[in-house]
Amino acid sequence: MPEFTIVLGNKAYSSWSLRGWLPLKLSGASFDEIVIPLRESDTKARLLEASSAGKVPVLKTADGPIWDSLAIAEYLAERFPDAGLWPEDPRARALARSVTSEMHSSFPALRNDCPMDVRSRYRDREFSESTRQDIERITSIWRDCRARFGAGGEFLFGGFCIADAFYAPVVSRFVTYDVALDSVCSAYRDAVMARPEMQEWIDAGHAEPWTMEFDV
Ligand SMILES: N[C@@H](CCC(=O)N[C@@H](CS)C(=O)NCC(=O)O)C(=O)O
């Protein structure tokens, strides 16, 4: 029997769910998945059954349910210390935690203006000033991490870690909304999109029967 069950929203749309699911994939643990389609008549009741917070993702563990993507990532990093979920170097790890927390708590304009939607593509979008500022901040984070700690691989801290998992939904949005990027950031975007876990998630998103309408 798998060790964990992760409760997720639609893979096509649920960016927080992707942030919880990627560290679980990287941990190598066995798990089952339950997908609760968002914005359906029974969604709230089903979310509240999974955890008292009423949101996804939720990781069901022998220690009880863990909700919130960052708590899930930290739990898994502690439980699977050899999985490389955080960088080994303490300075790199400190920066990785900072940029992960910044992603977890910031960028409301980008989130509102550009919802994650792995199945759609938009061209020639006009971004608001605040969305442009979010994009500028995110790309400066990516350039900084790549320059200081990225030498060992293609990702923010070399190998694919929790920080990349947290920016993966942003990478997906940059593809969906055709955000122009410099050579460092576009190479990073392409490396994230090429990860087999990302492809698995996106393929599953395409296969889902539910559709949500956005005002974009
Ligand atoms: N800060 C939370 C955010 C979780 C969240 O907002 N999840 C959304 C889906 S992407 C949700 O459950 N929405 C359903 C609702 O609010 O009814 C985390 O990091 O997990």
Side-chain angles (χ1 to χ4, degrees):
M1 185 177 144
E3 184 173 2
F4 299 108
T5 298
I6 190 161
V7 186
L8 306 163
N10 320 38
K11 290 187 173 176
Y13 308 115
S14 181
S15 57
W16 293 111
S17 297
L18 176 56
R19 293 187 178 101
W21 182 86
L22 279 172
L24 184 55
K25 284 294 277 188
L26 297 178
S27 75
S30 60
F31 65 93
D32 280 334
E33 292 178 8
I34 297 171
V35 173
I36 299 178
L38 302 173
R39 298 201 199 167
E40 303 279 323
S41 55
D42 61 347
T43 297
K44 203 66 202 174
R46 294 187 67 192
L47 292 175
L48 284 167
E49 241 171 65
S51 95
S52 54
K55 292 202 186 292
V56 279
V58 178
L59 186 68
K60 295 186 167 185
T61 79
D63 301 316
I66 300 172
W67 58 89
D68 196 287
S69 52
L70 190 50
I72 292 169
E74 287 287 10
Y75 175 85
L76 292 169
E78 216 176 273
R79 175 79 180 63
F80 299 97
D82 298 329
L85 289 176
W86 288 122
E88 220 165 286
D89 177 296
R91 289 168 313 141
R93 195 162 62 247
L95 180 60
R97 281 204 158 102
S98 295
V99 301
T100 299
S101 299
E102 187 171 344
M103 180 67 250
H104 190 249
S105 60
S106 312
F107 312 122
L110 180 70
R111 284 196 197 134
N112 288 334
D113 289 0
C114 304
M116 189 173 98
D117 178 357
V118 304
R119 301 192 287 216
S120 299
R121 295 290 180 271
Y122 300 93
R123 298 281 170 261
D124 305 319
R125 276 296 303 283
E126 289 281 328
F127 299 114
S128 68
E129 181 53 30
S130 26
T131 297
R132 271 201 296 274
Q133 282 168 11
D134 282 354
I135 292 170
E136 185 43 52
R137 173 64 190 151
I138 289 166
T139 51
S140 77
I141 288 171
W142 290 359
R143 282 190 293 273
D144 183 42
C145 295
R146 289 286 304 138
R148 287 166 65 192
F149 296 110
E154 298 176 287
F155 302 101
L156 296 178
F157 297 90
F160 195 73
C161 74
I162 288 170
D164 302 293
F166 270 65
Y167 283 91
V170 173
V171 166
S172 163
R173 285 173 161 104
F174 283 3
V175 172
T176 296
Y177 298 96
D178 195 26
V179 173
L181 298 173
D182 64 24
S183 58
V184 171
C185 294
S186 58
Y188 175 65
R189 173 200 64 204
D190 295 346
V192 171
M193 290 302 284
R195 287 290 304 195
E197 304 86 358
M198 274 302 270
Q199 284 309 314
E200 182 183 331
W201 179 275
I202 290 166
D203 289 348
H206 278 280
E208 288 175 344
W210 315 285
T211 301
M212 273 161 49
E213 298 300 330
F214 298 113
D215 200 12
V216 291

